[in-house]
Amino acid sequence: MRFLNRLPRRWRALAEEVLKFGSIGLVNTAVTMLIFNVLLSIGPLKANVAATVVATTCSYFMNRHWTYRHLPKTSLKREYTLFFVFNLIGFLIESIILAVARYGMHFDEHTDVAAFNIAKFSGLVIATLFRFWAYRSFVFKASAKKAATLDAEELEPAVAK
């Protein structure tokens, strides 16, 4: 954590956010993969739906109350709706990759479990990058006033010197 203390305030805040987001992501990746594998016998796409819905709900509350707790809150309905929409897009990214594995490469969910897990993990990585950008940009976005305050606080020590 010493490294983080050497960074300018804005970069330090981003680094802390990425670390928290990543921690939550690891927990929810484990939840997703566990549910996905338990339900794989019903089909990879159905299993992915169930796993994604459970992990999305867990992720929303964890991010709202830990990663982005320093930002002003808007209505739960607005945040969760946007969160769910962006997770739906992430889910579509993952599902397209799984569908290519299943229908394009003709993998079988009973014999090609490792291949499906690789496809699932690849889709998860791409979707996670998209989600991080979307959450920061739209769901838990700091107000313009708060962003201006952060910029002013960051510049203040330089001006005082």
Side-chain angles (χ1 to χ4, degrees):
M1 288 302 194
R2 289 181 191 169
F3 172 74
L4 290 181
N5 292 333
R6 294 180 184 170
L7 294 173
R9 178 178 291 198
R10 180 178 233 163
W11 286 100
R12 187 172 52 238
L14 178 63
E16 289 173 3
E17 188 176 312
V18 168
L19 289 172
K20 288 177 180 179
F21 181 84
S23 298
I24 290 169
L26 288 174
V27 168
N28 284 300
T29 297
V31 168
T32 299
M33 296 304 286
L34 176 69
I35 293 170
F36 177 76
N37 280 287
V38 166
L39 298 178
L40 189 56
S41 64
I42 67 171
L45 301 179
K46 291 176 190 172
N48 196 40
V49 169
T52 300
V53 168
V54 171
T56 295
T57 301
C58 291
S59 179
Y60 169 73
F61 286 105
M62 289 179 195
N63 277 297
R64 184 176 206 255
H65 296 293
W66 189 42
T67 306
Y68 301 104
R69 72 176 174 211
H70 62 286
L71 298 178
K73 304 287 184 263
T74 58
S75 75
L76 181 70
K77 181 180 178 181
R78 177 202 165 273
E79 285 180 358
Y80 189 75
T81 300
L82 285 173
F83 195 89
F84 196 84
V85 166
F86 290 121
N87 269 285
L88 183 60
I89 294 168
F91 167 77
L92 291 174
I93 291 168
E94 292 176 39
S95 294
I96 288 168
I97 292 171
L98 282 172
V100 167
R102 174 68 178 100
Y103 301 108
M105 301 174 122
H106 304 289
F107 290 146
D108 179 72
E109 59 267 16
H110 302 292
T111 57
D112 298 312
V113 174
F116 276 116
N117 277 284
I118 291 168
K120 172 69 174 160
F121 187 75
S122 300
L124 200 58
V125 168
I126 295 166
T128 297
L129 293 172
F130 167 76
R131 287 176 180 125
F132 180 75
W133 168 80
Y135 298 167
R136 287 191 95 245
S137 300
F138 302 104
V139 180
F140 301 110
K141 185 177 172 92
S143 66
K145 182 179 177 183
K146 176 129 177 131
T149 302
L150 286 175
D151 288 342
E153 289 173 357
E154 187 176 305
L155 293 174
E156 194 171 287
V159 173
K161 291 181 181 179

